[in-house]
Amino acid sequence: MLRMKITGFVLLFTALTLSAGNLEKIDSLTNLLNQELTDTVRYKVMVSLCKYTYDYDLKKSLEYGDQAYAFASEKGLEQDIPFLNLLIYLNDNSKRYTKSIIYLEEIIRLLSERDSKEDKLSLMNYKGWLGLRREEYSKAIELFQKGIVLAQEEKQDKFLLKFYYNLAKAYERIGIEEEEVKYYNKYLEHVDWDSKNRYVSMVYLRLGDIERLKGYYEDALEDYFRAMELAEGNNDSSQMIMVLNRIAWNYYEMEQLGLAMDYYNENIRISKPLKNMNYLSNCYGNMGNIYRDWEEYDSALIYYNKSIDLSKEINDYYNL
């Protein structure tokens, strides 16, 4: 079984180095906004601020994203599709799904005006995603399946991977686990392991969740550690804290409370400088559970209250 030793120093150093580099860019870009710029340049600066802040301060990143989108709409500028993708990701993570649908529809509108083979494949992919958001699952699955055939015919491996991944997500939504796992494995069979692709880590994270929910905790750990190795190799702090959270909970369910506490502490060390309040709140609450199980009730209350305070601050009623 795959095992990986994760030291707090290495993880914290990685997270802080990433954030420090981004902070310098954020300061420069913020100063640039105070200067006289063309509309196009101002839009690009706002987009860059959204990109550089999303792994550091989700709320601020959303503010820059909303400002950039509104500015481009007001000035009649064409929206940048990678930027719209980022807005979808940010709004999904903030549970602003109505906003995500607006940005998906904007991408579909832009791609509908284009005629290349790649644009047609992209259009099919985004239409499938829109079907998922609208809970039109049969339509989404049909589009992704047609996309697989077309991508194979056109020898477009990049899109083939997207359709495999998205088809797996569609089957996840409707609870057909066998098909979900099948398409995740097809994704892994075709992926370029030398690429800096965060979705590979996300696939292993999901496969780990499936194993954990079945009670196969050792198998889950193998997938989680693989996901962690990939996330750390990509310096992907936001993915790292997701994986650490799962590893910690897996150990909690195995009743290895000391290890669970270690990984929650690692998660907190990374989440704090990134100001990821959702994960901090979740970690504090679960650490409270561990202290409760250890019958250290005063410590449990301290961490429960930390979790409650943060959840109220960010209106995260799930963790409450």
Side-chain angles (χ1 to χ4, degrees):
M1 180 178 297
L2 179 64
R3 284 287 182 270
M4 182 177 66
K5 184 177 180 182
I6 306 173
T7 66
F9 175 78
V10 170
L11 290 177
L12 181 59
F13 177 79
T14 301
L16 288 176
T17 301
L18 180 64
S19 295
N22 280 355
L23 281 172
E24 290 178 5
K25 293 173 184 174
I26 290 165
D27 287 341
S28 298
L29 290 166
T30 304
N31 290 332
L32 192 57
L33 276 183
N34 295 323
Q35 300 178 24
E36 187 173 338
L37 305 170
T38 66
D39 290 344
T40 301
V41 172
R42 184 169 295 279
Y43 170 66
K44 289 181 178 180
V45 171
M46 290 177 176
V47 169
S48 296
L49 279 166
C50 176
K51 290 177 180 178
Y52 286 125
T53 52
Y54 92 92
D55 202 22
Y56 169 71
D57 188 336
L58 179 60
K59 184 178 178 182
K60 196 68 179 173
S61 181
L62 279 168
E63 288 177 9
Y64 283 127
D66 288 342
Q67 288 170 14
Y69 183 83
F71 181 80
S73 299
E74 177 190 344
K75 299 295 183 180
L77 303 175
E78 183 173 302
Q79 301 283 357
D80 177 63
I81 289 179
F83 167 58
L84 292 173
N85 271 316
L86 176 57
L87 286 180
I88 291 167
Y89 172 79
L90 290 169
N91 282 279
D92 278 354
N93 277 279
S94 301
K95 300 179 174 61
R96 303 199 313 179
Y97 301 116
T98 304
K99 281 271 192 179
S100 294
I101 288 176
I102 291 171
Y103 300 132
L104 262 175
E105 290 173 337
E106 178 71 5
I107 292 174
I108 288 168
R109 185 191 66 77
L110 290 169
L111 289 172
S112 296
E113 299 169 355
R114 303 179 185 180
D115 200 37
S116 73
K117 290 178 181 179
E118 286 199 1
D119 289 329
K120 287 179 179 178
L121 284 165
S122 288
L123 182 60
M124 190 176 292
N125 183 50
Y126 284 112
K127 283 183 174 178
W129 261 112
L130 186 60
L132 283 186
R133 300 302 169 86
R134 291 175 172 167
E135 300 183 356
E136 298 169 350
Y137 297 120
S138 296
K139 180 179 179 180
I141 288 170
E142 181 182 358
L143 283 163
F144 293 143
Q145 288 174 334
K146 285 181 178 178
I148 288 170
V149 174
L150 185 58
Q152 289 171 332
E153 289 175 353
E154 300 291 344
K155 301 188 186 315
Q156 292 280 351
D157 291 342
K158 177 179 71 173
F159 286 99
L160 185 60
L161 282 174
K162 289 182 179 181
F163 288 121
Y164 281 145
Y165 181 87
N166 291 336
L167 191 51
K169 295 299 290 184
Y171 282 119
E172 178 186 344
R173 295 281 183 90
I174 60 177
I176 303 179
E177 188 178 283
E178 184 178 351
E179 290 297 298
E180 177 192 355
V181 172
K182 169 185 169 182
Y183 283 102
Y184 277 140
N185 283 327
K186 281 183 176 290
Y187 176 92
L188 293 175
E189 287 169 13
H190 289 81
V191 77
D192 177 7
W193 290 96
D194 292 327
S195 66
K196 297 290 186 180
N197 186 346
R198 84 186 311 261
Y199 287 98
V200 184
S201 177
M202 291 168 70
V203 168
Y204 276 110
L205 183 64
R206 174 59 187 160
L207 292 174
D209 287 345
I210 291 170
E211 299 290 358
R212 178 178 55 79
L213 290 168
K214 291 178 178 177
Y216 301 150
Y217 296 117
E218 294 294 336
D219 292 334
L221 280 175
E222 184 172 348
D223 287 327
Y224 288 149
F225 282 125
R226 182 66 172 133
M228 187 66 206
E229 181 182 2
L230 291 163
E232 191 177 28
N234 289 341
N235 287 336
D236 191 341
S237 303
S238 60
Q239 180 72 1
M240 287 160 64
I241 59 180
M242 280 194 282
V243 180
L244 285 168
N245 196 52
R246 300 298 214 292
I247 293 172
W249 186 250
N250 194 85
Y251 277 127
Y252 181 80
E253 290 192 334
M254 293 173 73
E255 299 183 355
Q256 296 187 33
L257 302 186
L259 281 171
M261 184 66 83
D262 289 343
Y263 281 95
Y264 281 128
N265 276 316
E266 293 290 356
N267 202 331
I268 285 170
R269 290 188 183 102
I270 296 177
S271 297
K272 273 186 175 179
L274 298 179
K275 297 183 181 178
N276 193 311
M277 303 307 179
N278 296 86
Y279 275 96
L280 281 171
S281 174
N282 183 269
C283 288
Y284 287 143
N286 288 327
M287 290 168 78
N289 291 339
I290 293 172
Y291 281 116
R292 179 202 61 201
D293 293 350
W294 282 337
E295 298 184 359
E296 296 181 24
Y297 300 118
D298 289 341
S299 294
L301 281 172
I302 289 170
Y303 280 91
Y304 284 146
N305 284 324
K306 283 185 175 185
S307 178
I308 289 168
D309 289 344
L310 277 178
S311 295
K312 286 180 177 177
E313 182 181 335
I314 58 175
N315 295 319
D316 184 359
Y317 299 107
Y318 175 80
N319 275 321
L320 276 175

mmCIF file of all heavy atoms in Angstrom, residues 36 49 57 87 105 242 259 278 293:
data_model
loop_
_atom_site.group_PDB
_atom_site.id
_atom_site.type_symbol
_atom_site.label_atom_id
_atom_site.label_comp_id
_atom_site.label_asym_id
_atom_site.label_seq_id
_atom_site.Cartn_x
_atom_site.Cartn_y
_atom_site.Cartn_z
ATOM 1 N N GLU A 36 -4.268 55.172 -14.784
ATOM 2 C CA GLU A 36 -5.138 55.316 -15.953
ATOM 3 C C GLU A 36 -4.852 54.180 -16.931
ATOM 4 O O GLU A 36 -3.717 54.009 -17.382
ATOM 5 C CB GLU A 36 -4.890 56.674 -16.634
ATOM 6 C CG GLU A 36 -5.872 56.973 -17.750
ATOM 7 C CD GLU A 36 -5.712 58.390 -18.290
ATOM 8 O OE1 GLU A 36 -5.165 59.239 -17.559
ATOM 9 O OE2 GLU A 36 -6.118 58.610 -19.430
ATOM 10 N N LEU A 49 -6.303 39.656 -10.701
ATOM 11 C CA LEU A 49 -6.496 39.758 -9.252
ATOM 12 C C LEU A 49 -7.412 38.632 -8.748
ATOM 13 O O LEU A 49 -7.174 38.053 -7.691
ATOM 14 C CB LEU A 49 -7.088 41.116 -8.887
ATOM 15 C CG LEU A 49 -6.088 42.268 -8.814
ATOM 16 C CD1 LEU A 49 -6.811 43.621 -8.796
ATOM 17 C CD2 LEU A 49 -5.184 42.129 -7.587
ATOM 18 N N ASP A 57 -7.730 34.096 -0.561
ATOM 19 C CA ASP A 57 -8.877 34.726 0.094
ATOM 20 C C ASP A 57 -10.082 34.586 -0.847
ATOM 21 O O ASP A 57 -10.266 35.384 -1.763
ATOM 22 C CB ASP A 57 -8.575 36.203 0.365
ATOM 23 C CG ASP A 57 -9.657 36.867 1.218
ATOM 24 O OD1 ASP A 57 -10.797 36.381 1.220
ATOM 25 O OD2 ASP A 57 -9.348 37.875 1.883
ATOM 26 N N LEU A 87 -14.705 31.585 -12.409
ATOM 27 C CA LEU A 87 -15.876 32.086 -11.701
ATOM 28 C C LEU A 87 -16.847 30.957 -11.352
ATOM 29 O O LEU A 87 -17.438 30.949 -10.270
ATOM 30 C CB LEU A 87 -16.591 33.141 -12.547
ATOM 31 C CG LEU A 87 -15.924 34.511 -12.661
ATOM 32 C CD1 LEU A 87 -16.763 35.437 -13.533
ATOM 33 C CD2 LEU A 87 -15.699 35.138 -11.293
ATOM 34 N N GLU A 105 -23.918 29.662 -19.021
ATOM 35 C CA GLU A 105 -24.702 30.110 -20.166
ATOM 36 C C GLU A 105 -23.912 31.110 -21.019
ATOM 37 O O GLU A 105 -24.017 31.109 -22.250
ATOM 38 C CB GLU A 105 -26.016 30.734 -19.688
ATOM 39 C CG GLU A 105 -26.993 29.704 -19.116
ATOM 40 C CD GLU A 105 -28.218 30.333 -18.484
ATOM 41 O OE1 GLU A 105 -28.150 31.521 -18.091
ATOM 42 O OE2 GLU A 105 -29.235 29.636 -18.372
ATOM 43 N N MET A 242 -8.253 19.962 1.172
ATOM 44 C CA MET A 242 -9.379 19.048 0.982
ATOM 45 C C MET A 242 -8.956 17.612 1.293
ATOM 46 O O MET A 242 -9.671 16.863 1.967
ATOM 47 C CB MET A 242 -9.906 19.128 -0.452
ATOM 48 C CG MET A 242 -10.812 20.305 -0.719
ATOM 49 S SD MET A 242 -11.732 20.148 -2.274
ATOM 50 C CE MET A 242 -10.465 20.584 -3.458
ATOM 51 N N LEU A 259 -3.796 10.079 15.145
ATOM 52 C CA LEU A 259 -3.454 10.388 13.760
ATOM 53 C C LEU A 259 -4.448 11.381 13.154
ATOM 54 O O LEU A 259 -4.073 12.278 12.402
ATOM 55 C CB LEU A 259 -3.418 9.102 12.929
ATOM 56 C CG LEU A 259 -2.158 8.255 13.062
ATOM 57 C CD1 LEU A 259 -2.334 6.908 12.371
ATOM 58 C CD2 LEU A 259 -0.956 8.990 12.475
ATOM 59 N N ASN A 278 -13.900 27.979 5.764
ATOM 60 C CA ASN A 278 -14.754 26.799 5.727
ATOM 61 C C ASN A 278 -14.038 25.585 6.295
ATOM 62 O O ASN A 278 -14.581 24.849 7.127
ATOM 63 C CB ASN A 278 -15.203 26.502 4.289
ATOM 64 C CG ASN A 278 -16.067 27.597 3.714
ATOM 65 O OD1 ASN A 278 -15.561 28.571 3.167
ATOM 66 N ND2 ASN A 278 -17.374 27.473 3.844
ATOM 67 N N ASP A 293 -14.307 12.592 22.518
ATOM 68 C CA ASP A 293 -14.099 11.145 22.610
ATOM 69 C C ASP A 293 -13.000 10.804 23.608
ATOM 70 O O ASP A 293 -13.012 9.719 24.202
ATOM 71 C CB ASP A 293 -13.751 10.565 21.241
ATOM 72 C CG ASP A 293 -14.928 10.649 20.264
ATOM 73 O OD1 ASP A 293 -16.045 10.979 20.708
ATOM 74 O OD2 ASP A 293 -14.718 10.388 19.053
#
